[in-house]
Amino acid sequence: MDKPRQGFAGLWNISFGFFGIQIGFALQNANMSRIFQSLGESLDDLAVLWIAAPLTGLLVQPLIGHYSDRTWGRWGRRRPYFFAGALFAALALFGMPNAPGLLAAAMLLWMLDASINVSMEPFRAFVGDMLRKDQQTAGYAFQTAFIGAGAVIGSATPFILDHLGVGNAAPGGGIPDTVRCSFYLGGAVLFLAVLWTVLTTREYSPAELTAFEGHEVGEHDVPPVPPASTIGGLAWVLAGVVIALVVALLGAEKELYLLGGLVGFYGVARLVAGALYQRGSTDNVLTNIVGDFSGMPPIMKKLALTQFFTWSALFIMWIYTTPVVAQYAFGSADPASEAYNQGGNWVGILFAGYNLVAAIVAAFVLQPVARAIGKVWTHVAALLCGAAGFLAFMVVRDPYALLVPEIGIGIAWASILAMPYAILASSLPQKKLGIYMGLFNVFIVVPQLLVATVMGTIVRHFFPTEPVWTMAFAAAVMVLAALSMLRVKEEAVDVGA
């Protein structure tokens, strides 16, 4: 027995909520550096304030994945998480433009990213829940098209409002009205779009999913905590201590203590999970998450390295594009100046550009190319296009000409949001789809944390007044992502719509 084939309306309803989520995500990506600098933060400290976002994802997504796998009620398995996340994300978007200072803005960013993660993680598993294997590439491509469309609207809204006469520079500094109104509109659309998916979809019941499992449950259904958990846990704790000592001895940036703390925390989690497992407590959240992480399928481990490099490059772009464009294309590094704020608006257009390209590529290009050359080679080619786009920032200075590099970045973005998940979903057991998708996010979050803790130091010591070099760094890392993808061997599954 296989799942029913979804038509156009079914694919639309399953993915439409991501349209709203991405509007909120795009507003965050394109405007948070601008908000932080408008509230008085310096360029080389921007990365630190962005730590809240990836750290929240690291903690939230595995937990939401674990619990959404085990949830069933009147509203289904994943939809309660969609709704709750959307509600709190909307509230954070309404509150962000009114933040009285940097601390409040950072806390609201934390709330916003946590809420977006609560909604976003189950959406990835939702595609796997609702679609048969031969439709999963189509499902993730459809989802990517909505992501691109939402990001275009979210990124371009401040620019559009500016041209409609809304104030784009606050007297005496502060957050301009274009950003305020954009966040208010984004919060409303995010909530309504997710509500559409909640109200128009019906999830398969546990009995129905059980009937489908004969086709989908694999050997990794219930991975145990490995016997070496104690030794491995001690090794991770020791590694965390060593990182902290090196930071202290070298007088490195104190933010690096966070990296050591996370490494040590994982070691402690392994030790506790191992002790619980030995006592027969095998069905608790910690034992399950650590066990699933240790027992993840080999293809997920290989994709993890690609994700690490890919999202390192993307996070550099999101943090530093605004200061790069404002300084090199608009001639100002002063956040209070009109030129800088014009540059900030133009970054919204650039981000809208790459998301528009991603939406078009996802809708019309990804599936036929993947069918012709395979999902792995499609992703390799797309990542190389992204690297070329980043590198172009080193030489392009005209604001309109900067739209050309966004084509390459958009091609990469389309593939990043679809291909790894399409490859992964066909290799995962249905009962563990949520937790594995959540754990897969670890390899998105960890590189962002690394960038957030290290990149400020690199900028400060090597190019404190030339942020454009961050784009060269991003290009090199994206090339490494493409090379690492060559290690992945995809399962032979039809990629038809």
Side-chain angles (χ1 to χ4, degrees):
M1 183 178 177
D2 207 346
K3 296 173 184 173
R5 194 173 187 84
Q6 294 284 347
F8 180 85
L11 291 170
W12 177 287
N13 292 337
I14 287 168
S15 297
F16 186 69
F18 233 126
F19 171 75
I21 292 172
Q22 194 61 30
I23 287 178
F25 195 50
L27 285 168
Q28 170 186 306
N29 286 341
N31 294 283
M32 284 313 303
S33 286
R34 181 181 182 181
I35 289 173
F36 286 145
Q37 286 194 287
S38 295
L39 292 174
E41 190 54 272
S42 64
L43 172 65
D44 54 7
D45 284 333
L46 280 180
V48 175
L49 289 175
W50 277 78
I51 285 177
L55 182 59
T56 302
L58 180 64
L59 298 174
V60 169
Q61 289 222 20
L63 288 172
I64 295 300
H66 171 83
Y67 284 114
S68 71
D69 280 340
R70 294 160 174 252
T71 295
W72 186 262
R74 179 182 177 186
W75 292 102
R77 188 185 192 189
R78 315 289 183 189
R79 288 179 297 162
Y81 297 94
F82 300 164
F83 181 82
L87 176 61
F88 285 100
L91 293 174
L93 285 168
F94 294 150
M96 185 71 73
N98 301 302
L102 280 170
L103 179 60
M107 294 300 294
L108 283 167
L109 174 59
W110 195 300
M111 175 180 170
L112 174 61
D113 208 78
S115 303
I116 287 177
N117 274 290
V118 169
S119 281
M120 186 183 297
E121 196 284 331
F123 260 105
R124 294 296 190 191
F126 194 50
V127 172
D129 288 346
M130 301 297 292
L131 299 180
R132 45 198 286 169
K133 286 187 178 182
D134 63 357
Q135 278 198 297
Q136 286 176 352
T137 298
Y140 285 112
F142 213 95
Q143 194 176 82
T144 299
F146 270 126
I147 291 171
V152 169
I153 293 172
S155 299
T157 300
F159 180 88
I160 294 170
L161 291 176
D162 180 26
H163 281 70
L164 291 176
V166 179
N168 190 49
I175 300 170
D177 287 342
T178 50
V179 175
R180 291 181 186 277
C181 293
S182 296
F183 274 65
Y184 298 152
L185 291 170
V189 175
L190 184 155
F191 180 76
L192 292 174
V194 172
L195 187 63
W196 176 278
T197 290
V198 170
L199 296 177
T200 61
T201 55
R202 184 191 72 82
E203 295 184 68
Y204 295 119
S205 69
E208 288 173 313
L209 288 173
T210 298
F212 301 140
E213 283 176 3
H215 297 276
E216 297 178 358
V217 176
E219 59 179 330
H220 298 282
D221 188 24
V222 188
V225 176
S229 284
T230 300
I231 298 174
L234 289 173
W236 280 95
V237 171
L238 180 61
V241 172
V242 169
I243 291 172
L245 289 174
V246 169
V247 172
L249 291 173
L250 297 180
E253 298 299 322
K254 60 181 178 297
E255 293 84 8
L256 291 173
Y257 283 117
L258 176 62
L259 182 62
L262 288 172
V263 171
F265 176 79
Y266 177 65
V268 172
R270 284 189 63 134
L271 291 172
V272 174
L276 290 171
Y277 187 80
Q278 293 299 322
R279 294 178 183 177
S281 179
T282 59
D283 194 25
N284 60 79
V285 61
L286 184 61
T287 301
N288 273 274
I289 289 177
V290 172
D292 290 331
F293 189 80
S294 302
M296 62 179 136
I299 194 169
M300 185 171 167
K301 296 177 182 178
K302 292 178 180 179
L303 283 168
L305 184 61
T306 302
Q307 293 290 86
F308 178 86
F309 289 129
T310 299
W311 287 85
S312 294
L314 290 172
F315 205 56
I316 292 170
M317 176 188 72
W318 289 328
I319 294 174
Y320 292 105
T321 298
T322 294
V324 167
V325 171
Q327 180 171 330
Y328 295 93
F330 287 82
S332 177
D334 178 9
S337 69
E338 178 65 24
Y340 180 94
N341 282 284
Q342 289 292 338
N345 280 356
W346 191 248
V347 168
I349 295 300
L350 294 178
F351 282 12
Y354 83 71
N355 280 287
L356 177 61
V357 171
I360 294 170
V361 170
F364 302 108
V365 179
L366 277 184
Q367 291 180 73
V369 172
R371 190 179 297 115
I373 65 174
K375 287 175 276 192
V376 169
W377 282 104
T378 298
H379 198 44
V380 170
L383 292 175
L384 291 175
C385 288
F390 290 138
L391 198 59
F393 274 79
M394 297 294 296
V395 294
V396 178
R397 293 292 180 265
D398 180 78
Y400 289 97
L402 285 173
L403 288 167
V404 176
E406 298 300 327
I407 296 173
I409 295 171
I411 293 170
W413 185 234
S415 187
I416 289 164
L417 293 175
M419 289 298 110
Y421 297 98
I423 294 170
L424 191 63
S426 62
S427 306
L428 295 178
Q430 184 70 56
K431 284 185 177 179
K432 292 286 187 178
L433 197 54
I435 180 60
Y436 275 134
M437 287 295 184
L439 289 172
F440 195 49
N441 188 63
V442 170
F443 306 109
I444 295 174
V445 170
V446 169
Q448 294 182 54
L449 286 171
L450 188 62
V451 168
T453 54
V454 172
M455 205 64 201
T457 302
I458 294 174
V459 170
R460 187 178 298 115
H461 288 287
F462 293 99
F463 32 87
T465 61
E466 297 292 337
V468 73
W469 286 99
T470 59
M471 295 301 170
F473 199 95
V477 174
M478 193 67 93
V479 170
L480 292 176
L483 293 175
S484 69
M485 193 66 193
L486 298 177
R487 301 169 59 244
V488 177
K489 305 297 180 185
E490 65 187 274
E491 181 180 340
V493 176
D494 179 23
V495 295

